[in-house]
Amino acid sequence: MILTYPELKDDVMDCFMMFHEDMNYPVKDSLYAILGESEHRPEFTQANECCIYVNYALIMIDKNENIDFMQQRLNELLEEEHMQIYKEELQDDFDEFNADVLNLKVRLSQK
């Protein structure tokens, strides 16, 4: 992991504010800019990508934005087969991550 999960969660919010709200990037482009900030680092993993997607989706839902453009990749990242890998990588932060995943799933089911 590049950052701890709480740090990454805060970073996603900060980057969203910077790219979308301050620089007026479209929602879709803001996500790709956030990913671009991280994905070229050697320590970037699928767990990092999943954490970014989960937190970005939660932000979008809070703002009543459509997440269809990211739904397929989000679903792929949240497949059960990946959760053990995330648990091993996130270690002590996994419970907070998993709580956010469960929150996201509940909120998506309410749409």
Side-chain angles (χ1 to χ4, degrees):
M1 289 287 292
I2 297 169
L3 303 168
T4 66
Y5 180 70
E7 291 170 335
L8 185 59
K9 190 174 177 174
D10 289 342
D11 190 54
V12 169
M13 177 56 85
D14 291 344
C15 287
F16 170 79
M17 299 292 285
M18 179 180 67
F19 290 122
H20 183 65
E21 296 190 358
D22 295 344
M23 298 173 68
N24 297 316
Y25 278 38
V27 170
K28 185 176 183 179
D29 293 343
S30 295
L31 172 62
Y32 299 135
I34 293 168
L35 288 168
E37 290 278 308
S38 302
E39 68 186 358
H40 298 293
R41 296 179 184 169
E43 62 273 16
F44 185 79
T45 65
Q46 183 173 312
N48 290 112
E49 182 182 10
C50 185
C51 293
I52 290 168
Y53 266 82
V54 165
N55 284 285
Y56 197 83
L58 287 168
I59 292 167
M60 293 295 89
I61 291 169
D62 284 345
K63 296 193 173 290
N64 294 316
E65 294 280 351
N66 186 317
I67 65 166
D68 288 349
F69 73 94
M70 63 183 287
Q71 190 73 51
Q72 181 178 347
R73 183 62 182 150
L74 180 63
N75 291 342
E76 292 167 1
L77 291 166
L78 291 177
E79 289 176 356
E80 192 59 39
E81 65 194 51
H82 303 303
M83 291 311 225
Q84 186 58 39
I85 295 166
Y86 302 154
K87 186 173 187 172
E88 290 169 13
E89 192 167 332
L90 293 168
Q91 298 177 10
D92 293 339
D93 292 335
F94 181 78
D95 289 340
E96 183 177 351
F97 165 76
N98 196 49
D100 287 340
V101 168
L102 294 173
N103 178 27
L104 176 60
K105 288 180 177 181
V106 166
R107 296 187 66 197
L108 287 172
S109 71
Q110 295 171 345
K111 289 185 122 197

